[in-house]
Amino acid sequence: MKKLCTVIMGCMLLSLAAPAAFAAEPYRIGAIFAVTGPAAWLGEPQKNTVKMLEEQINAKGGINGRKIEVIVEDSVGDEAKAVLAFKKLVERDKVAVVIGPSRSGPAMAVKPLAERSRVPLIACAAAEAIIKPVSPWVFKTAQNDADAARSIFDKARSMGIKRMAVISSTDAFGDAGRKQLKAIAPDYGIGIVADETYVPSDTDMTAQLTKIKGTDAQAIINWSIVPAQTTVLKNRTQLGITLPFFQSHGFGNINYARSAGAAADGVLFPQGRILAVDTVAADHPQKAVIAQYKKDYEAAYKTDVSAFGGYAWDALMLAVDALKSVGDDRAKIRDYLEARKNFVGVSGVFNFSADNHVGLGQESFEMLTVRDSNFIVAK
Amino acid sequence: MHVRKNIPLILLVASVAAAALLITDPYILTMLIFIGIYAIATMGLNLLLGFAGQISLGHGAFFALGAYVSAILTTRFGAPCTAAAALAVALVCAIAWAVGLPCLRLKGHYLAMGTLAFGEIIHITLNAEVELTGGPSGIAGIPVLSLGPFSADSDARYFLIVWCVFIALFVLTRNIINSRPGRALQALHGSEQAAGAMGIDVAGMKLTVFVLSAAYAALAGVLYVHFVAFVSPQAGDIMFSIKMVTMVVAGGMGHLWGGLLGAALLTVLPEMLSYFEDYDMLIYGGILLAMVMFMPGGLTQGLARLSGALRARRTAVRPGAVTGGRTEDPVPRRTAQ
């Protein structure tokens, strides 16, 4: 019996060693997304987006007369699996460029591999650590937290606000935002007069809001990505607080606006323009791109377009753009991306440089607001 | 000597040596490295779960602690990898001892809950202690294993290290099981009262095997962190603890080869099934379900039944004489060679 175990193991080793089928025709692009698992809400729209774009591009005859092939690997949001997926894409599928992963942890785990194997990586995750310190081979398409904070303070300053209260959730997203807000506020001459937190599983934030009500804050910032943030909105209405109310870009899910109902009306938050396509000015450079993406995506998948799918749109189209111009030589793609300016994407207009591998600034955020459970551009 | 009994081990050593020489595809080497790392962790858990009959849903935390201690020591304090690894394993042993002391007084579901809570506490601590652990963003830039002039900077070298560690631990584990304490462990799995009556120090034995299995998990964590070069609290979360238990159960509880087979199955299967695109999860779930239904004793038992049935047919012995096949065995067969 032991013998049999060993024989099976030997077979397993052998079957693994069999080379994958080889075809050189199409341009190959690898993608690592959290298609299933706890971060599927990120990975699924990303996979849908790249599959839709692959079909569209190939229907038009591909690029440079060659089709593209996007090979999507599911990381399940797991770091070890992302490492495996990256090696598979690079060593077996011989892709020219890798897009993803969807989450920051897996992106950080893959970053050293991209450097070592000299493969351009365009991450779809937000953490600044992905591009700071800059690695020559690693880019990302999701905006920085700090720019969301700056957008909020810009708007607040234009409204003549000098004192603000911060309330945030005690998870990675909330904690990172809270630190950024406190660090950046002095640059805008704004004082943080209250700093309250709530646990993502809390069901009542009346205590924290009552405390804020007792301060001389002129506006409130609620920084969170979890559903509990809508409870803050409801409690605020119940307490009769009418101060201007800001949310972070973590509010950018239409379901949050729907679940808060009337309590969400008038809330201000920075997000990509993809969420309020209809109210973006017709002459805005991104208008055509986001309107087309929204129309195609919603027709293909019968569900609302999201900012997360937009990160994948940007990553894939940047890769396609590079392939079109310089072919599938990895080093040339890297050089091309780093020098790319004025690339109009879904998340913003990208301008990369040797020390800026996100290519997006504060202007990629638009100040949005909620009216009747719809996102619109704030006046 | 016992050459015949050692054939599987000799074959394993030979195939590791052959793989190190022949396999150059980094993807396969990486998969084999992960299998080796998980197999080390599950071998320890199998000692606890399969041989001593004590469940733990907190072993992912020991894995994470081993990984974090080694990562912090090498990146913050510039400690050499080997010293950091040794210190990490020693520290985890001490923590496991302190945790095991109260926890192991619990039985069955309560022990599962206790260890689950411990795992969750470690997970929250790793997230919250931003100064020390980097919080949810984790620690990056962890150096690769090295000893003096030798550095495991290629996949092939790392593969060799992981599997040499595995083989060494395999021999160690086998000797433990076949020794007096090993038999004591199996006795307390059968009945703690009976074991106590025979003069076995039940509490001491349980604590010893708990600490030992935590040390295996910590060592696996150390090997993981110096390979991936990045660690976040996700590395040892509750899902990983459950995955380890699943590996042990799927491979074969109370069987030396169980941990390895389970780790290999649960690592290779999802990779293979990715060819089926959208249906991979469905097929994966189906396979695990079928295994639970038809091979409750895990892969090792399933294979034992298969080979037993084949041998029975060959020698035309009555099917009833097949050994090791009955699923209703109150005490699973614990064989070790």
Side-chain angles (χ1 to χ4, degrees):
Chain A
M1 186 214 99
K2 309 290 150 22
K3 233 183 280 177
L4 201 65
C5 297
T6 325
V7 169
I8 300 266
M9 262 205 27
C11 290
M12 219 141 68
L13 291 179
L14 283 177
S15 75
L16 289 172
F22 185 73
E25 270 306 303
Y27 284 128
R28 293 177 158 210
I29 299 168
I32 306 170
F33 295 136
V35 183
T36 57
W41 48 280
L42 274 172
E44 216 207 327
Q46 295 179 336
K47 181 190 175 187
N48 287 346
T49 300
V50 298
K51 282 289 160 193
M52 179 184 85
L53 291 172
E54 178 188 23
E55 208 170 289
Q56 285 177 356
I57 291 166
N58 287 337
K60 286 184 198 144
I63 44 179
N64 305 342
R66 288 167 73 172
K67 300 219 164 191
I68 63 163
E69 184 184 354
V70 184
I71 304 158
V72 179
E73 291 289 327
D74 184 3
S75 71
V76 202
D78 183 87
E79 284 142 22
K81 292 208 79 172
V83 167
L84 258 183
F86 185 87
K87 294 214 172 160
K88 181 173 179 213
L89 291 169
V90 170
E91 307 293 343
R92 304 205 118 186
D93 300 324
K94 312 274 182 215
V95 298
V97 45
V98 175
I99 60 176
S102 317
R103 296 179 84 176
S104 297
M108 288 301 294
V110 165
K111 183 180 174 181
L113 296 180
E115 271 168 46
R116 215 181 312 149
S117 47
R118 306 171 76 79
V119 175
L121 175 79
I122 312 175
C124 299
E128 283 194 59
I130 297 168
I131 48 145
K132 215 183 246 178
V134 172
S135 153
W137 296 89
V138 182
F139 302 83
K140 76 163 179 146
T141 58
Q143 301 101 331
N144 290 331
D145 279 350
D147 286 326
R150 287 194 191 95
S151 300
I152 291 176
F153 288 134
D154 262 337
K155 180 74 180 171
R157 189 162 60 180
S158 76
M159 292 160 76
I161 291 165
K162 290 254 181 294
R163 296 175 303 277
M164 299 182 88
V166 174
I167 179 166
S168 58
S169 56
T170 56
D171 51 17
F173 185 86
D175 192 55
R178 179 172 157 259
K179 285 191 197 119
Q180 294 283 6
L181 288 171
K182 287 166 82 172
I184 296 169
D187 301 348
Y188 288 78
I190 289 173
I192 304 292
V193 295
D195 176 17
E196 296 293 321
T197 58
Y198 53 91
V199 179
S201 55
D202 280 359
T203 52
D204 187 274
M205 286 71 160
T206 315
Q208 291 95 323
L209 286 165
T210 309
K211 222 167 149 189
I212 289 173
K213 207 179 170 186
T215 67
D216 56 354
Q218 295 166 298
I220 301 170
I221 308 172
N222 177 20
W223 194 291
S224 166
I225 199 163
V226 290
Q229 62 183 318
T230 60
T231 314
V232 178
L233 288 174
K234 289 180 203 160
N235 288 161
R236 168 198 68 135
T237 320
Q238 287 153 4
L239 286 172
I241 299 174
T242 52
L243 298 173
F245 201 92
F246 291 91
Q247 291 274 153
S248 71
H249 48 312
F251 190 65
N253 181 332
I254 194 69
N255 290 324
Y256 288 151
R258 285 177 189 152
S259 96
D265 269 0
V267 162
L268 293 160
F269 70 102
Q271 244 300 1
R273 296 178 179 84
I274 183 68
L275 293 179
V277 174
D278 298 338
T279 52
V280 170
D283 58 352
H284 192 278
Q286 279 181 270
K287 179 80 178 188
V289 166
I290 53 179
Q292 186 70 39
Y293 172 48
K294 183 182 165 76
K295 192 173 128 245
D296 292 345
Y297 189 89
E298 292 180 356
Y301 298 107
K302 312 274 180 286
T303 170
D304 292 307
V305 75
S306 74
F308 318 119
Y311 302 153
W313 192 100
D314 295 335
L316 182 70
M317 295 312 279
L318 276 166
V320 167
D321 181 56
L323 285 167
K324 206 184 277 180
S325 305
V326 296
D328 55 5
D329 183 285
R330 288 169 179 168
K332 281 185 188 157
I333 292 175
R334 191 216 79 84
D335 295 343
Y336 179 84
L337 287 174
E338 194 169 70
R340 187 69 166 98
K341 305 274 185 239
N342 287 317
F343 177 86
V344 180
V346 169
S347 310
V349 180
F350 291 82
N351 287 292
F352 293 102
S353 66
D355 57 355
N356 179 1
H357 275 202
V358 60
L360 292 174
Q362 201 189 325
E363 72 290 338
S364 63
F365 281 117
E366 183 79 52
M367 194 51 73
L368 305 183
T369 187
V370 183
R371 189 197 293 150
D372 303 328
S373 298
N374 277 312
F375 291 146
I376 58 169
V377 174
K379 291 279 155 350
Chain B
M1 249 180 62
H2 301 300
V3 175
R4 219 184 117 75
K5 280 174 87 179
N6 279 322
I7 284 176
L9 187 61
I10 292 165
L11 281 179
L12 178 67
V13 173
S15 50
V16 166
L21 288 173
L22 298 177
I23 299 179
T24 52
D25 183 339
Y27 167 61
I28 289 168
L29 282 173
T30 305
M31 200 184 320
L32 292 174
I33 289 167
F34 279 126
I35 291 174
I37 289 170
Y38 295 149
I40 289 169
T42 46
M43 191 157 54
L45 186 60
N46 205 354
L47 261 182
L48 184 71
L49 185 65
F51 289 94
Q54 308 297 313
I55 191 157
S56 166
L57 291 179
H59 262 54
F62 294 127
F63 181 90
L65 279 172
Y68 264 96
V69 173
S70 197
I72 291 168
L73 287 176
T74 48
T75 55
R76 300 274 161 80
F77 303 101
C81 289
T82 36
L87 213 58
V89 174
L91 194 68
V92 168
C93 284
I95 294 170
W97 184 80
V99 171
L101 218 47
C103 257
L104 290 167
R105 291 173 175 271
L106 305 170
K107 286 197 176 73
H109 298 320
Y110 298 100
L111 179 60
M113 296 302 284
T115 50
L116 182 73
F118 164 71
E120 202 53 21
I121 290 167
I122 295 297
H123 186 66
I124 292 170
T125 310
L126 293 178
N127 265 307
E129 281 297 319
V130 180
E131 297 296 312
L132 188 64
T133 65
S137 315
I139 302 172
I142 299 159
V144 74
L145 273 188
S146 59
L147 179 61
F150 179 83
S151 165
D153 49 4
S154 74
D155 289 338
R157 283 181 177 187
Y158 214 94
F159 164 82
L160 211 54
I161 288 180
V162 167
W163 283 87
C164 285
V165 171
F166 175 81
I167 290 167
L169 287 179
F170 185 90
V171 173
L172 174 74
T173 316
R174 193 177 65 170
N175 289 348
I176 290 173
I177 291 165
N178 290 338
S179 69
R180 194 182 153 83
R183 287 188 292 275
L185 275 183
Q186 298 176 38
L188 71 90
H189 186 186
S191 161
E192 286 183 22
Q193 282 86 350
M198 284 187 289
I200 293 167
D201 173 11
V202 173
M205 218 48 235
K206 279 202 218 170
L207 193 58
T208 310
V209 72
F210 188 73
V211 170
L212 190 65
S213 69
Y216 281 48
L219 189 57
V222 168
L223 289 169
Y224 167 88
V225 83
H226 289 288
F227 178 62
V228 176
F230 170 78
V231 65
S232 81
Q234 192 214 16
D237 64 357
I238 170 68
M239 289 319 291
F240 185 69
S241 294
I242 292 172
K243 192 171 163 186
M244 277 169 70
V245 174
T246 316
M247 283 175 177
V248 171
V249 174
M253 271 201 283
H255 196 293
L256 254 180
W257 292 92
L260 175 59
L261 286 182
L265 181 80
L266 263 74
T267 310
V268 173
L269 203 55
E271 290 293 319
M272 302 270 228
L273 292 177
S274 66
Y275 292 110
F276 294 98
E277 297 239 338
D278 290 345
Y279 300 101
D280 58 344
M281 279 290 146
L282 200 66
I283 300 173
Y284 183 53
I287 291 176
L288 287 190
L289 192 69
M291 280 188 59
V292 172
M293 285 170 68
F294 301 112
M295 277 192 258
L299 268 185
T300 45
Q301 191 209 36
L303 293 176
R305 285 165 86 179
L306 193 69
S307 73
L310 289 177
R311 206 171 303 150
R313 179 168 295 177
R314 211 181 312 142
T315 54
V317 178
R318 281 189 308 117
V322 172
T323 55
R326 296 243 58 91
T327 57
E328 297 84 4
D329 271 354
V331 182
R333 263 163 42 88
R334 286 178 291 280
T335 42
Q337 27 62 42

